[in-house]
Amino acid sequence: MRVLVADDEPGARLVAQGVVEGLGHQCVVAEDGDAAWRLFQQHQPEVLVTDWRMPGLDGLQLCRAVRNAERDSYTYIVLLTSMDRHDDVLSGVEAGADDYVVKPLDPFALHARLLVARRVTSLHAELGRYRAELANQARTDPLTGVRNRLKLTADLGLLHSRSERYARTYSLALCDVDSFKHFNDTYGHQAGDDALRAVAATLVAQLREGEGVYRYGGEEFLVALPEQRATGAAAALERCRKAVERLAIEHSGGPAPVLTISTGVSAFVPATPISSEDVLRQADIALYRAKSSGRNTVAIG
Amino acid sequence: MPAQVCPGIDAQRVTVLRDLGPAGGTSLFAAVVEVFVRQSSTSLAAMRQALEADSSALREEAHNLKGAAANVGAVTVAALCQQLEIAVRPGDKPRTIDLLNELEGVLECSTRCLLDLSEPQ
């Protein structure tokens, strides 16, 4: 573990450092509270062992600063305190300290605290990983691996408000796999799932980074294209259409002998602002036109 | 043979510090003694200087030296510092002077003992 020791007394610092390094941990030492805060930000230690009375930030202020700065990581804080300062201990724990050790520092006492610190910080790290993984899973479509509607709601909200504020344009494209029900009925649901995965992967591969692909419904995908006018977006989606065609997935019930997609494109233009729901509605209308004009095509709304 | 521990030094604390092992090539105990010796002599001088003018500075010095002494096992020095902290508060100057004189003597003895103990054996 990385352990930060903050104490203005040089002898006490040496003892603490001796214990920490003797146990095989990495030790960073600070001579006062301000240096401790700087070193904390620089090294992000798993453990902070801090004196109570120090020049600069005192132990209490340091505890608060560390707790305020924490995001996904957790720093285990051990307060060093005098024998007779019970009130200090309580306010220290309230400010965020996990435990305390009475001075002069007994190596055995610090050893025990570091064992607890290891357990608590690794638990926090594990929780942080799970949290990040779950947050990611909650925003991903499990079948195709592209983003899901939950993520779309958040991303589109952000994209729209930013475009509105800075007078930027963006486009939305709705893609639908042609005659997908027929495909499922003919080739089975397993083949249907494989086809959806292949289409999703093709869209992702054809589009630029920063252009988001979302699973919108059963066989519908939505593509968000920041900074793209309708014509540019339509060109990008035409590339996608051709790429899906080139996959050459057999489809006897579609407009071509292979699996194809139809797409409706619509743009937000700052000169004539409309809501993101209206942009989406226009894309849907355009998709309907693409479908009714023979499928396997891109239409602009 | 461990060197004789004189009164005023907590032998158990000395053992604990010695067991902590090496720090940067020299023994950790020797390093702790060295910083204590340096710190205590400047601290004593500062206390004498503060005697006339600044009682809060004297109390602060006594408090700091108390911590440093306890850390190295100089328990009598620590106890005297504690008494100094108490005597300074109501401004008991004769008592403060007595304590400072006593502290000087004990500090000299304790320092010598600690330096002996920190010699490589």
Side-chain angles (χ1 to χ4, degrees):
Chain A
M1 294 189 288
R2 282 181 307 273
V3 181
L4 173 60
V5 172
D7 198 321
D8 60 333
E9 195 211 307
R13 237 174 13 240
L14 280 172
V15 173
Q17 188 179 6
V19 177
V20 169
E21 287 176 351
L23 293 169
H25 301 301
Q26 198 185 319
C27 191
V28 183
V29 290
E31 297 180 12
D32 60 55
D34 291 345
W37 176 233
R38 254 196 330 274
L39 289 167
F40 173 83
Q41 290 167 301
Q42 190 184 335
H43 296 278
Q44 301 286 314
E46 282 90 359
V47 186
L48 167 64
V49 179
T50 178
D51 195 13
W52 181 259
R53 283 172 53 156
M54 289 183 291
L57 289 182
D58 63 21
L60 192 79
Q61 292 167 318
L62 193 56
C63 283
R64 290 206 185 104
V66 167
R67 290 293 177 244
N68 281 335
E70 278 170 342
R71 292 290 174 265
D72 275 339
S73 62
Y74 187 80
T75 299
Y76 193 86
I77 305 180
V78 180
L79 207 57
L80 299 172
T81 174
S82 307
M83 186 84 72
D84 48 355
R85 306 299 286 261
H86 288 151
D87 291 349
D88 287 356
V89 170
L90 292 182
S91 45
V93 170
E94 264 168 4
D98 294 284
D99 204 347
Y100 70 100
V101 175
V102 169
K103 288 179 93 173
L105 181 62
D106 177 7
F108 169 79
L110 184 56
H111 187 171
R113 265 58 167 203
L114 290 179
L115 289 175
V116 177
R118 152 104 62 197
R119 190 159 59 220
V120 171
T121 52
S122 49
L123 195 63
H124 271 278
E126 204 176 315
L127 282 174
R129 276 195 301 276
Y130 281 136
R131 208 160 41 224
E133 202 177 302
L134 283 175
N136 190 37
Q137 271 176 24
R139 287 159 181 73
T140 305
D141 173 51
L143 177 70
T144 61
V146 299
R147 302 165 191 183
N148 64 12
R149 280 190 80 144
L150 181 68
K151 179 77 172 136
L152 173 67
T153 308
D155 288 358
L156 184 54
L158 212 64
L159 175 64
H160 186 82
S161 60
R162 217 165 27 213
S163 303
E164 228 173 11
R165 181 178 315 155
Y166 300 112
R168 314 300 300 187
T169 186
Y170 73 88
S171 290
L172 297 180
L174 264 178
C175 311
D176 190 84
V177 178
D178 292 322
S179 313
F180 188 66
K181 190 184 175 313
H182 190 278
F183 185 89
N184 266 336
D185 291 345
T186 312
Y187 304 98
H189 284 277
Q190 183 60 52
D193 285 353
D194 290 346
L196 288 177
R197 269 194 286 265
V199 169
T202 303
L203 292 176
V204 171
Q206 290 298 319
L207 294 162
R208 283 183 227 155
E209 205 178 324
E211 295 174 338
V213 179
Y214 305 81
R215 177 127 183 248
Y216 193 66
E219 72 275 22
E220 260 186 326
F221 294 95
L222 184 135
V223 181
L225 305 100
E227 306 290 332
Q228 284 280 14
R229 294 164 184 282
T231 45
L237 269 300
E238 174 60 18
R239 242 181 13 247
C240 294
R241 186 197 64 76
K242 282 183 183 151
V244 169
E245 207 173 42
R246 274 200 307 274
L247 290 173
I249 300 169
E250 187 194 313
H251 186 6
S252 59
V258 294
L259 189 93
T260 55
I261 55 170
S262 296
T263 303
V265 174
S266 174
F268 171 83
V269 183
T272 51
I274 53 172
S275 69
S276 60
E277 289 82 3
D278 282 342
V279 181
L280 208 51
R281 203 167 297 133
Q282 286 181 5
D284 199 31
I285 293 167
L287 172 61
Y288 183 77
R289 275 221 320 281
K291 289 280 185 193
S292 53
S293 67
R295 300 191 174 92
N296 191 19
T297 183
V298 180
I300 298 178
Chain B
M1 255 303 274
Q4 180 83 36
V5 175
C6 67
I9 302 296
D10 176 2
Q12 219 177 334
R13 181 69 183 169
V14 171
T15 308
V16 164
L17 294 184
R18 274 185 167 156
D19 287 349
L20 265 183
T26 65
S27 117
L28 184 126
F29 179 60
V32 173
V33 169
E34 195 193 313
V35 298
F36 173 71
V37 171
R38 216 177 320 133
Q39 190 183 355
S40 59
S41 69
T42 50
S43 197
L44 191 69
M47 279 193 263
R48 289 232 182 260
Q49 203 164 22
L51 184 59
E52 294 306 321
D54 191 349
S55 68
S56 73
L58 207 165
R59 205 167 61 224
E60 183 78 17
E61 280 295 340
H63 181 84
N64 290 342
L65 184 57
K66 180 179 74 177
N71 183 57
V72 77
V75 282
T76 309
V77 173
L80 283 169
C81 288
Q82 166 106 43
Q83 289 177 44
L84 260 171
E85 272 189 87
I86 294 163
V88 170
R89 200 160 300 159
D92 188 346
K93 204 165 162 187
R95 171 103 177 108
T96 305
I97 293 170
D98 283 350
L99 282 168
L100 271 177
N101 290 336
E102 195 183 346
L103 176 65
E104 190 161 1
V106 172
L107 196 54
E108 202 187 310
C109 164
S110 298
T111 300
R112 206 176 325 114
C113 179
L114 285 169
L115 285 170
D116 283 350
L117 288 165
S118 68
E119 288 286 314
Q121 286 154 38

